[in-house]
Amino acid sequence: MNSIRSSKGIVTVLCVVGLLAVAGTASAFTVSAEGVPSESGVGDEVTVTYTVDDPFTGTSNEWTLAGETELENVSWTVTVLRAGSQVSQQTYGDQSFSQDLDIDNNGDQVRVELTGTTPAVENYTYQPEEQYVVASLTRVSGSNEEEFQNSTAHHYTADSREARQAIDSAQAAIDAAGGNSDAEQLVDSAVSSYENGNFENAVNLANQARNTAQQAQQSQQTTQTLLLAGGGLVVLLLLAGGGYYIYTQTQGDDYSKL
C-alpha cells in the first residue's frame, strides 16, 4: 500500500515538474515585422514596425540593440513595454542607432518603428533586381553580434519600372512562342540598355522583341492551320477516291451480271 502511494506521489511531482518546464519554455525571443514593402519607388515614404517579444529569454540579461537602414530622412522610435505599458521611449534620427537593454529596468517587449524615404538606385541590374536594406537589427552582447532581422525591398524609378515591365512582357511573348533567336537577341540588348540606365532604348528594344516573338508565333499558328487544312483536304480526297473506286467496281459487277 505504501509503495503504491509513494509511486503516485512521484508521478504527481514529475507532472508538476513537467508543467513547470513547459511553462518555462513557452516564451522565447521572437521578432515580428509589419509594413515591410516588397518594393517601393525612389523617394516614396516607407514605415515599418518591428516587435521583439521576450527580449531577454535565452540570451544575456544585458545587451545592446543596434539598427541600420539604407532609407533616407530616417526616424527610429524605440519603445520598451512591460505587460503592454510603456516603460521608456527613445527617438533617433540617423541611419543607424544603438540602445542598451537591461533585464532589471527594461520590459518584456521592444517595439521599433522606422520611417524613411526610399533611396536612389546606385546600380541597375535586371536580374537579380535592385534591392536596398529596409532595416537590419542586431543583438550585441560583449563581443558577440547576432543579426536577428534583415528586411530588403526592390526599389525603382518610373522609367526603370516601365523598362523592366517591357522586358518582362517581351520575355513572356518569347516563352509563349516557344523561343525565337531574333527576339531573344533583342531582349539581351534591352537588358544591356536597362543596366546602363538607358531606359528609353530598353523599352524600344523590348517592344521590338515582343513584336518579333508574336509575329513568329502567329506565323507558326498560320502554318499549323494550313497543314491541318491540307491534311483534311487530302483525307477528303482519299475518301472521295475510295468511294468512287467502290462505286465503279459495283457498277462493273452489275454490268457483268447483265
Side-chain angles (χ1 to χ4, degrees):
M1 177 70 77
N2 290 337
S3 62
I4 294 174
R5 289 178 180 175
S6 177
S7 298
K8 290 182 177 179
I10 293 172
V11 170
T12 302
V13 171
L14 290 175
C15 288
V16 171
V17 171
L19 290 172
L20 290 174
V22 170
T25 58
S27 60
F29 182 102
T30 58
V31 59
S32 59
E34 295 181 10
V36 179
S38 60
E39 61 177 12
S40 60
V42 172
D44 288 352
E45 185 175 278
V46 174
T47 299
V48 297
T49 301
Y50 300 96
T51 303
V52 180
D53 289 309
D54 301 307
F56 302 103
T57 302
T59 186
S60 173
N61 291 340
E62 297 180 8
W63 58 276
T64 299
L65 171 64
E68 293 185 0
T69 181
E70 290 184 350
L71 290 170
E72 299 174 343
N73 306 313
V74 174
S75 174
W76 305 85
T77 300
V78 181
T79 305
V80 179
L81 303 101
R82 181 184 293 114
S85 298
Q86 180 177 311
V87 175
S88 66
Q89 187 175 82
Q90 297 289 331
T91 302
Y92 306 91
D94 296 326
Q95 287 184 304
S96 63
F97 80 93
S98 63
Q99 180 170 320
D100 294 334
L101 300 175
D102 189 330
I103 195 173
D104 292 332
N105 52 30
N106 286 142
D108 55 14
Q109 187 180 79
V110 180
R111 185 176 300 149
V112 180
E113 296 176 274
L114 168 64
T115 298
T117 55
T118 304
V121 182
E122 295 182 359
N123 183 36
Y124 287 97
T125 56
Y126 179 70
Q127 289 293 345
E129 63 183 16
E130 309 85 354
Q131 299 278 323
Y132 72 95
V133 177
V134 177
S136 168
L137 299 178
T138 303
R139 180 169 54 185
V140 182
S141 180
S143 59
N144 296 321
E145 296 187 11
E146 178 189 354
E147 183 183 63
F148 61 87
Q149 178 69 38
N150 190 301
S151 304
T152 61
H154 169 55
H155 54 161
Y156 58 86
T157 65
D159 290 339
S160 72
R161 188 175 202 181
E162 180 186 7
R164 178 178 290 277
Q165 290 174 341
I167 294 171
D168 290 345
S169 178
Q171 189 59 59
I174 292 172
D175 294 340
N180 180 276
S181 59
D182 292 337
E184 288 167 359
Q185 289 177 2
L186 286 168
V187 163
D188 289 341
S189 297
V191 169
S192 179
S193 292
Y194 175 92
E195 295 183 340
N196 286 324
N198 190 347
F199 302 121
E200 183 178 357
N201 193 50
V203 170
N204 291 334
L205 289 168
N207 288 339
Q208 291 179 40
R210 186 189 68 241
N211 292 336
T212 299
Q214 290 175 342
Q215 289 171 4
Q217 185 180 25
Q218 290 172 357
S219 178
Q220 290 173 359
Q221 291 173 345
T222 300
T223 301
Q224 290 173 354
T225 301
L226 290 174
L227 289 173
L228 289 172
L233 180 60
V234 169
V235 170
L236 288 174
L237 290 173
L238 288 173
L239 290 174
Y244 179 74
Y245 174 77
I246 293 173
Y247 172 77
T248 55
Q249 291 297 313
T250 303
Q251 292 295 105
D253 291 342
D254 292 342
Y255 180 79
S256 61
K257 289 177 182 180
L258 293 175

